[in-house]
């Protein structure tokens, strides 16, 4: 096995492409531009959640919560705390905006990562599906906290955020996320994430610190969700707590399942597909010539998600790109002797 | 010969059930020691306390002179104890190559940052690990399966795979939990050769739990016999075979007594 620098080159190419495309964003219809930005943000969200739910085999429902933390933290930083830096750099120019936006996104990511650490360490030390429950509660708590924080607008939402997000930033972040996930997983160190998913007991028996891997995946995933939140806040320029609800977390989970857990390409593709589908359904809901029932279904995301999932389970349970290892390979574990089998390890 | 592993008065209770009771065991360097007993006698439980899956309710475990009871399984693997499982536990979605590669994680110098930045030292180490994995697979004639998911291997090969993966952690002591289970007589012969070969080549001690008496009597230098969590006999295969308590323990079973 030879290792080459393909990933670094691909990352560089993606960033340059994003920069070039950014130059022409002025000539794109603003609505389409926003959809394209949402696609990039969703790719970041889905591929980072895939590190937790796909590669590491945990089940987090907290991505909307981390995104909210990143969105609010970065919006607050850019709105309230950047005046001094602008002054020092001689006012708002291309350079100072770029620098501030980079710092603000980083700040949002770090805030989310810290929250991830606080939530992750106690719940990931336990074996079992505690994480789903804890992250579910966490998302709701974050929403309530924001609703009661007047400094960021409380339930009215936070408005007047600068529209810094460009094609360049969105896709550079998406490319970076994909790069980080792929290059981490493709290494002897990174195989550790997969062993945690496959068999925690066996992983520990060969010396893998499963808790550390789970926390690493969780915190990194939270970080990128936070950065994606920052991009989102500076795209819409207005955010409110109810935008980061449970449905959003489910939406990101669906992207991961749809793409095939643990397949970054598949998950990124599913993020594009589902974003477009949800956007298109908004039009469908508005078509007056359609029967009422169809329009109502089209405007209810949860029903759409359920339909997507049912279709997936029937047609391609492994996800669009997944390989469905468990069913294909199967683990043969015949017992040699009759007798107690409780002591599995 | 230096003492490697020592269990002193180890007791394991699950609620009201005493699975292992005041168990003593000594394994020397380069020993090939057997642990036998009827179903449910507590053999796997002893493996689980040695490897940190469970903590003994009381008693002490020392390895190379240092206490290890209460350490986490991954830390104990780092100290030099590797194991296989009664019910094979490979990483089903990983290839044969990656199953073995995962065991090198323990001694890896590179971490997250290296993997991300891909500095030359990272490539050097990765190539070095890959070479060692291939060497190991070669020795055990598994290289031709390197890129198959291990679920596609035959049962005997999966058992062998698990031993190879355990060896990849470079242990001082290897614990094998019923490695011959489900094997045909020819595979069992090969397994006995394999265990002897591994012990000699890597100069490690082996603790073997096995129901197949031919295998145990054939390769073990010393055997401890467990019944209802209590050690009822210990000695050379010859001594154990003649011990009336051992015969009774097996005859008392509903399952037919092994050919002692
Ligand atoms: N985690 C557990 N919880 C409760 N009881 C357990 C647990 N693990 C093992 N036991 C019990 O402890 C006793 C010893 O089990 P153990 O698996 O160690 O036996 P064994 O000698 O390995 O048997 P076998 O030959 O069938 O593998 C059994 O009665 C078993 O039911
Ligand atoms: Mg057992």
């Amino acid at each position: 096995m030879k290792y080459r620098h393909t990933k670094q080159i691909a990352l560089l190419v993606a960033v340059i492409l994003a920069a070039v495309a950014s130059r022409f964003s002025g000539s794109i219809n603003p609505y389409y531009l926003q959809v394209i930005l949402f696609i990039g943000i969703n790719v970041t969200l889905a591929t980072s959640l895939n590190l937790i739910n796909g590669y590491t085999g945990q089940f987090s429902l907290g991505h909307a919560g981390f995104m909210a933390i990143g969105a609010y933290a970065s919006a607050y930083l850019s709105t309230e705390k950047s005046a001094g830096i602008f002054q020092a750099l001689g006012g708002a120019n291309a350079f100072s905006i770029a620098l501030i936006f980079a710092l603000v996104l980083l700040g949002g990511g770090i805030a989310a990562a810290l929250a991830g650490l606080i939530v992750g360490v106690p719940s990931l030390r336990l074996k079992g599906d505690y994480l789903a429950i804890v992250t579910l509660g966490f998302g709701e708590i974050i929403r309530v906290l924001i609703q009661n924080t007047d400094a960021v607008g409380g339930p009215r939402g936070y408005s007047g955020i600068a529209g810094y997000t460009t094609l360049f930033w969105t896709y550079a972040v998406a490319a970076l996320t994909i790069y980080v996930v792929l290059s981490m997983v493709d290494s002897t160190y990174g195989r550790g994430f997969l062993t945690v998913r496959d068999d925690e007991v066996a992983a520990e028996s060969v010396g893998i610190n499963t808790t550390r891997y789970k926390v690493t995946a969780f915190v990194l995933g939270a970080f990128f969700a936070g950065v994606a939140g920052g991009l989102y806040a500076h795209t819409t320029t207005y955010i409110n707590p109810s935008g980061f609800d449970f449905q959003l977390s489910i939406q990101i989970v669906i992207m991961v399942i749809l793409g095939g857990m643990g397949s970054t390409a598949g998950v990124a593709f599913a993020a594009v597909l589902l974003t477009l589908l949800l956007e298109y359904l908004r039009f469908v809901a508005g078509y007056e010539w359609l029967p009422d029932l169809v329009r109502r279904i089209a405007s209810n995301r949860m029903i759409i998600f359920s339909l997507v999932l049912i279709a997936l389970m029937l047609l391609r349970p492994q996800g669009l790109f997944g390989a469905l290892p468990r069913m294909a390979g199967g683990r043969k574990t015949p017992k040699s002797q009759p007798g107690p089998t409780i002591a599995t390890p | 010969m230096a003492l490697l592993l020592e269990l002193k008065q180890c007791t394991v209770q699950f609620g009201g059930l005493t699975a292992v009771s005041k168990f003593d065991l000594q394994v020397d360097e380069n020993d090939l020691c057997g642990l036998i007993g009827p179903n449910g006698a507590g053999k796997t439980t002893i493996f689980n306390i040695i490897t940190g899956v469970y903590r003994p309710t009381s008693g002490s475990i020392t390895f190379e002179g240092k206490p290890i009871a209460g350490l986490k399984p991954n830390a104990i693997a780092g100290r030099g104890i590797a194991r296989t499982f009664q019910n094979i536990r490979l990483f089903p979605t990983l290839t044969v190559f990656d199953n073995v590669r995962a065991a090198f994680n323990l001694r890896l110098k590179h971490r997250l940052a290296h993997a991300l930045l891909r500095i030359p030292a990272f490539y050097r180490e990765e190539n070095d690990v890959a070479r060692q994995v291939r060497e190991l697979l070669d020795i055990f004639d598994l290289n031709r399966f390197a890129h198959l998911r291990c679920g596609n291997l035959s049962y005997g090969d999966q058992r062998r795979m698990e031993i190879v993966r355990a060896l990849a952690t470079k242990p001082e002591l290897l614990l094998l939990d019923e490695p011959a289970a489900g094997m045909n007589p020819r595979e069992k012969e090969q397994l006995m050769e394999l265990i002897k070969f591994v012990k000699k080549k890597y100069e490690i001690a082996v603790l073997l739990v096995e129901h197949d008496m031919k295998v145990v009597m054939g390769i073990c230098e010393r055997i401890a016999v467990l019944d209802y969590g209590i050690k009822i006999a210990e000695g050379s295969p010859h001594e154990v075979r003649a011990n009336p308590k051992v015969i009774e323990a097996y005859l008392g079973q509903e399952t037919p007594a092994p050919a002692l």
Side-chain angles (χ1 to χ4, degrees):
Chain A
M1 201 182 295
K2 262 270 170 273
Y3 289 92
R4 298 215 175 73
H5 295 267
T6 22
K7 288 198 180 59
Q8 284 90 334
I9 295 166
L11 173 68
L12 212 64
V13 170
V15 172
I16 291 170
L17 279 181
V20 172
S22 234
R23 297 247 145 233
F24 300 101
S25 55
S27 51
I28 305 174
N29 168 331
Y31 168 69
Y32 288 143
L33 181 63
Q34 194 175 54
V35 173
I36 295 172
L37 292 178
F38 284 167
I39 289 176
I41 292 170
N42 280 334
V43 167
T44 301
L45 286 167
T47 49
S48 62
L49 183 69
N50 187 36
L51 178 63
I52 306 169
N53 289 24
Y55 287 112
T56 320
Q58 307 303 299
F59 197 79
S60 169
L61 282 169
H63 242 44
F66 294 123
M67 189 186 172
I69 292 176
Y72 272 90
S74 63
Y76 181 77
L77 287 175
S78 76
T79 315
E80 310 285 338
K81 299 289 168 194
S82 59
I85 306 179
F86 271 131
Q87 238 167 29
L89 293 172
N93 52 49
F95 173 70
S96 63
I97 289 177
L99 181 71
I100 288 198
F101 194 39
L103 289 176
V104 153
L105 288 179
L106 196 65
I110 291 173
L114 284 177
L117 201 62
I118 294 168
V119 177
V121 168
S123 43
L124 289 169
R125 277 164 53 168
L126 307 167
K127 293 193 173 66
D129 295 328
Y130 299 95
L131 192 66
I133 297 158
V134 171
T135 49
L136 180 65
F138 160 78
E140 295 304 295
I141 291 170
I142 290 300
R143 230 155 44 87
V144 173
L145 279 182
I146 293 171
Q147 258 161 6
N148 289 292
T149 308
D150 258 344
V152 291
R156 281 165 287 115
Y158 199 171
S159 54
I161 305 165
Y164 291 148
T165 304
T166 61
L167 270 179
F168 167 72
W169 286 104
T170 307
Y171 282 87
V173 167
L176 184 70
T177 311
I178 292 176
Y179 171 80
V180 166
V181 171
L182 282 183
S183 57
M184 226 168 41
V185 171
D186 178 28
S187 65
T188 305
Y189 168 82
R191 281 295 183 265
F193 292 103
L194 309 188
T195 65
V196 172
R197 171 188 70 188
D198 274 12
D199 192 329
E200 268 189 61
V201 173
E204 286 178 358
S205 84
V206 295
I208 287 168
N209 187 338
T210 55
T211 306
R212 181 180 297 168
Y213 272 97
K214 286 192 275 184
V215 170
T216 304
F218 193 67
V219 170
L220 261 172
F223 174 83
F224 283 112
V227 174
L231 289 169
Y232 177 79
H234 293 84
T235 303
T236 56
T237 69
Y238 166 76
I239 48 179
N240 77 67
S242 58
F244 303 98
D245 61 357
F246 176 60
Q247 283 197 29
L248 181 60
S249 282
I250 294 285
Q251 181 180 319
I252 308 167
V253 170
I254 302 264
M255 286 171 184
V256 173
I257 298 174
L258 188 65
M261 301 250 205
S263 155
T264 294
V267 168
F269 183 71
V272 178
L273 215 62
L274 204 65
T275 315
L276 290 174
L277 176 72
L278 290 174
E279 212 47 52
Y280 176 67
L281 285 172
R282 284 163 52 150
F283 290 105
V284 173
Y287 291 151
E288 297 198 356
W289 49 269
L290 279 172
D292 208 33
L293 181 68
V294 174
R295 289 173 56 190
R296 266 204 231 147
I297 291 176
S299 64
N300 188 326
R301 284 185 180 198
M302 280 320 217
I303 295 182
I304 297 302
F305 294 157
S306 313
L307 291 177
V308 166
L309 272 188
I310 292 170
L312 192 71
M313 289 309 136
L314 289 177
L315 301 172
R316 246 189 108 71
Q318 69 271 46
L320 296 178
F321 285 67
L324 195 67
R326 273 165 217 282
M327 286 191 201
R331 258 204 294 168
K332 302 179 211 137
T333 51
K335 273 278 286 170
S336 57
Q337 308 268 341
T341 50
I342 330 165
T344 20
Chain B
M1 240 186 262
L3 180 65
L4 193 60
L5 172 80
E6 183 171 38
L7 278 75
K8 266 197 203 145
Q9 297 289 298
C10 284
T11 298
V12 185
Q13 281 167 333
F14 297 111
L17 177 102
T18 304
V20 176
S21 177
K22 299 195 170 148
F23 180 75
D24 290 315
L25 183 74
Q26 296 195 339
V27 180
D28 290 335
E29 273 172 20
N30 220 15
D31 227 350
L32 210 170
C33 182
L35 182 59
I36 64 170
N39 287 133
K43 306 176 296 290
T44 299
T45 305
I46 289 172
F47 272 20
N48 283 339
I49 58 171
I50 296 174
T51 55
V53 176
Y54 301 139
R55 203 195 165 114
T57 316
S58 64
S60 77
I61 307 173
T62 52
F63 184 70
E64 293 180 321
K66 297 189 203 80
I68 56 166
L71 289 183
K72 293 203 344 174
N74 57 294
I76 290 177
R79 294 286 178 92
I81 302 180
R83 72 176 289 181
T84 65
F85 295 89
Q86 186 167 355
N87 301 313
I88 301 177
R89 296 188 91 129
L90 291 167
F91 304 120
T93 71
L94 299 190
T95 60
V96 165
F97 183 88
D98 276 343
N99 261 274
V100 178
R101 177 152 79 127
F104 280 84
N105 198 296
L106 191 59
R107 317 208 176 264
L108 223 48
K109 285 196 274 309
H110 85 248
R111 285 282 160 222
L112 187 62
H114 287 63
L116 289 183
L117 299 175
R118 312 239 141 182
I119 55 172
F122 167 80
Y123 292 100
R124 267 202 302 280
E125 190 173 22
E126 286 293 58
N127 287 327
D128 192 45
V129 167
R131 185 183 50 74
Q132 293 186 57
V133 171
R134 262 186 265 107
E135 265 174 29
L136 260 177
L137 289 177
D138 253 341
I139 292 173
F140 296 94
D141 195 27
L142 286 163
N143 228 343
R144 58 210 153 106
F145 304 129
H147 295 288
L148 283 185
R149 284 231 167 89
C150 54
N152 298 330
L153 263 56
S154 75
Y155 188 70
D157 284 337
Q158 290 193 31
R159 284 251 175 241
R160 227 143 37 88
M161 256 297 297
E162 231 194 347
I163 297 177
V164 175
R165 185 183 66 183
L167 283 176
T169 65
K170 301 182 178 152
E172 298 291 323
L173 171 66
L174 178 62
L175 311 181
L176 302 174
D177 199 348
E178 296 195 27
M183 285 187 170
N184 61 37
R186 207 175 62 88
E187 285 175 324
K188 282 180 188 169
E189 287 292 328
Q190 289 168 348
L191 177 77
M192 287 163 72
E193 289 309 312
L194 179 85
I195 294 173
K196 281 191 263 184
F197 167 78
V198 162
K199 177 185 170 253
K200 200 163 152 232
K201 175 161 173 78
Y202 298 97
E203 296 179 328
I204 58 177
V206 177
L207 182 58
L208 173 71
V209 163
E210 183 51 64
H211 273 297
D212 188 292
M213 288 304 138
K214 240 185 103 203
V215 174
V216 180
M217 299 290 167
I219 57 175
C220 290
E221 294 143 10
R222 195 161 50 85
I223 296 171
V225 189
L226 207 62
D227 192 22
Y228 292 111
I230 298 167
K231 188 162 81 178
I232 55 169
E234 186 171 359
S236 69
H238 186 75
E239 288 162 3
V240 164
R241 198 177 317 191
N243 189 317
K245 275 196 196 160
V246 177
I247 296 168
E248 198 195 304
Y250 276 97
L251 287 179
Q253 283 280 301
E254 282 162 37
T255 44
L260 283 176

